[in-house]
Amino acid sequence: FEFETILALEMLQKEDLSEKAFTLIDENGKEFQIDTFSSHHHPQQHGHGGHHSQHGHGGQHHHPQPHVNQQMIHRRRTLRLLTRCCSLLPMRPFIDGKREWTSKLSHSLAAFNHVTTVYHTNLRNSIESAICWFYCHIDNGVRPHQNVLISPAFLKELALSLKQLPPEPCSAMGVLIEQFVLRFADINWNTVKKLPDTQKYKMITVEFEQLQRQFPVFNKTQFAIQNCMQFFYQICTLVKELGDAQILRNAVVQQFENAYEYLRELGVWDAICFMEVNQHKM
């Protein structure tokens, strides 16, 4: 994750890799709160005297939607931070290129991808410039002759070096990991982990099969999820170290600590460890 880690560091320094909600503004100046709960689907709880009923056509009563509570807000913030971090990873290592993306999209991650792309482009341009400078100025301590710089062999070698740079990040990685965590919450792993390994293996295999059907573009679904969680764990560790060194503000560090703890309470880290130990069976 060398390139992605540097990318994350650049964004963390500017506090652009966070759980903050996005507000989009169109060409007419209209604002869109794409990262907040919809009042239609999650009405806020009213105090005394604030009771109201929802009526449909013909005076029919509709069942009220679940109220927004602190746990839902915490889960939304954790997922926002987790999916944004995972969206820094490329999708290419986990697909065979034979299938197109046919699953759902995320407007929130699509908006975040615009921010990521700016950082990625600047970082990639810097690396490409450094590689070109190295090739054009250093050859056993002597600057290459002009004829060498325009020779086909030299240009081919330079092109191959530039081609090896990491591919662009992809918001699809964030979409995949979000669905994994949401589905995982229904498993109740803290109870499941007490079962024999064979039963745990069977249950988690079923979940991967369903994710595979939901996201057919991935041919290495388990590997993609493991990489996402390993990367997020690495970023959480790095953020803590930078916080201890007072390079990052405590508010930034707290976001990652809260997300890490939420996933721990959910049993995600324990399940990822189980997956890695038993991956030869899955």
Side-chain angles (χ1 to χ4, degrees), residues 16 37 129 138 156 174 227 234:
D16 284 333
F37 286 102
S129 298
I138 300 178
K156 180 180 180 180
N227 270 259
Q234 177 175 301

PDB file of all heavy atoms in Angstrom, residues 16 37 129 138 156 174 227 234:
ATOM      1  N   ASP A  16      -8.658  16.312   4.475  1.00  0.00           N
ATOM      2  CA  ASP A  16      -9.634  15.986   3.442  1.00  0.00           C
ATOM      3  C   ASP A  16     -10.017  14.508   3.458  1.00  0.00           C
ATOM      4  O   ASP A  16     -10.890  14.091   2.692  1.00  0.00           O
ATOM      5  CB  ASP A  16      -9.078  16.337   2.052  1.00  0.00           C
ATOM      6  CG  ASP A  16      -9.120  17.832   1.787  1.00  0.00           C
ATOM      7  OD1 ASP A  16      -9.989  18.506   2.369  1.00  0.00           O
ATOM      8  OD2 ASP A  16      -8.281  18.334   1.016  1.00  0.00           O
ATOM      9  N   PHE A  37     -28.821  12.043   6.779  1.00  0.00           N
ATOM     10  CA  PHE A  37     -30.025  11.233   6.749  1.00  0.00           C
ATOM     11  C   PHE A  37     -31.165  12.017   6.130  1.00  0.00           C
ATOM     12  O   PHE A  37     -31.331  13.205   6.374  1.00  0.00           O
ATOM     13  CB  PHE A  37     -30.427  10.816   8.169  1.00  0.00           C
ATOM     14  CG  PHE A  37     -29.550   9.762   8.754  1.00  0.00           C
ATOM     15  CD1 PHE A  37     -28.572  10.097   9.676  1.00  0.00           C
ATOM     16  CD2 PHE A  37     -29.681   8.434   8.379  1.00  0.00           C
ATOM     17  CE1 PHE A  37     -27.754   9.130  10.222  1.00  0.00           C
ATOM     18  CE2 PHE A  37     -28.866   7.464   8.916  1.00  0.00           C
ATOM     19  CZ  PHE A  37     -27.901   7.809   9.843  1.00  0.00           C
ATOM     20  N   SER A 129       7.644  12.891 -12.792  1.00  0.00           N
ATOM     21  CA  SER A 129       8.698  13.890 -13.000  1.00  0.00           C
ATOM     22  C   SER A 129      10.020  13.426 -12.393  1.00  0.00           C
ATOM     23  O   SER A 129      11.084  13.594 -12.992  1.00  0.00           O
ATOM     24  CB  SER A 129       8.279  15.227 -12.375  1.00  0.00           C
ATOM     25  OG  SER A 129       7.107  15.720 -12.983  1.00  0.00           O
ATOM     26  N   ILE A 138      20.936  10.848 -14.707  1.00  0.00           N
ATOM     27  CA  ILE A 138      21.863   9.963 -14.002  1.00  0.00           C
ATOM     28  C   ILE A 138      22.091   8.694 -14.808  1.00  0.00           C
ATOM     29  O   ILE A 138      21.149   7.964 -15.124  1.00  0.00           O
ATOM     30  CB  ILE A 138      21.328   9.605 -12.596  1.00  0.00           C
ATOM     31  CG1 ILE A 138      21.150  10.874 -11.756  1.00  0.00           C
ATOM     32  CG2 ILE A 138      22.260   8.625 -11.894  1.00  0.00           C
ATOM     33  CD1 ILE A 138      20.582  10.624 -10.389  1.00  0.00           C
ATOM     34  N   LYS A 156      11.772   3.205 -24.434  1.00  0.00           N
ATOM     35  CA  LYS A 156      10.995   2.028 -24.049  1.00  0.00           C
ATOM     36  C   LYS A 156      11.170   1.733 -22.568  1.00  0.00           C
ATOM     37  O   LYS A 156      10.211   1.431 -21.849  1.00  0.00           O
ATOM     38  CB  LYS A 156      11.422   0.819 -24.892  1.00  0.00           C
ATOM     39  CG  LYS A 156      10.648  -0.446 -24.553  1.00  0.00           C
ATOM     40  CD  LYS A 156      11.107  -1.611 -25.428  1.00  0.00           C
ATOM     41  CE  LYS A 156      10.328  -2.878 -25.068  1.00  0.00           C
ATOM     42  NZ  LYS A 156      10.750  -4.033 -25.893  1.00  0.00           N
ATOM     43  N   GLY A 174     -14.984   1.208  -2.125  1.00  0.00           N
ATOM     44  CA  GLY A 174     -15.763   1.699  -0.992  1.00  0.00           C
ATOM     45  C   GLY A 174     -17.168   1.145  -0.981  1.00  0.00           C
ATOM     46  O   GLY A 174     -17.723   0.814   0.074  1.00  0.00           O
ATOM     47  N   ASN A 227      -8.035  -6.868   1.754  1.00  0.00           N
ATOM     48  CA  ASN A 227      -7.129  -5.760   1.465  1.00  0.00           C
ATOM     49  C   ASN A 227      -7.684  -4.439   1.973  1.00  0.00           C
ATOM     50  O   ASN A 227      -6.935  -3.604   2.496  1.00  0.00           O
ATOM     51  CB  ASN A 227      -6.864  -5.685  -0.035  1.00  0.00           C
ATOM     52  CG  ASN A 227      -5.678  -6.512  -0.464  1.00  0.00           C
ATOM     53  OD1 ASN A 227      -4.586  -6.014  -0.693  1.00  0.00           O
ATOM     54  ND2 ASN A 227      -5.883  -7.821  -0.551  1.00  0.00           N
ATOM     55  N   GLN A 234      -4.101  -0.214   8.759  1.00  0.00           N
ATOM     56  CA  GLN A 234      -2.811   0.453   8.632  1.00  0.00           C
ATOM     57  C   GLN A 234      -2.957   1.965   8.772  1.00  0.00           C
ATOM     58  O   GLN A 234      -2.145   2.618   9.440  1.00  0.00           O
ATOM     59  CB  GLN A 234      -2.198   0.114   7.274  1.00  0.00           C
ATOM     60  CG  GLN A 234      -0.875   0.808   6.986  1.00  0.00           C
ATOM     61  CD  GLN A 234      -0.256   0.352   5.681  1.00  0.00           C
ATOM     62  OE1 GLN A 234       0.025  -0.811   5.499  1.00  0.00           O
ATOM     63  NE2 GLN A 234      -0.066   1.294   4.754  1.00  0.00           N
TER      64      GLN A 234
END
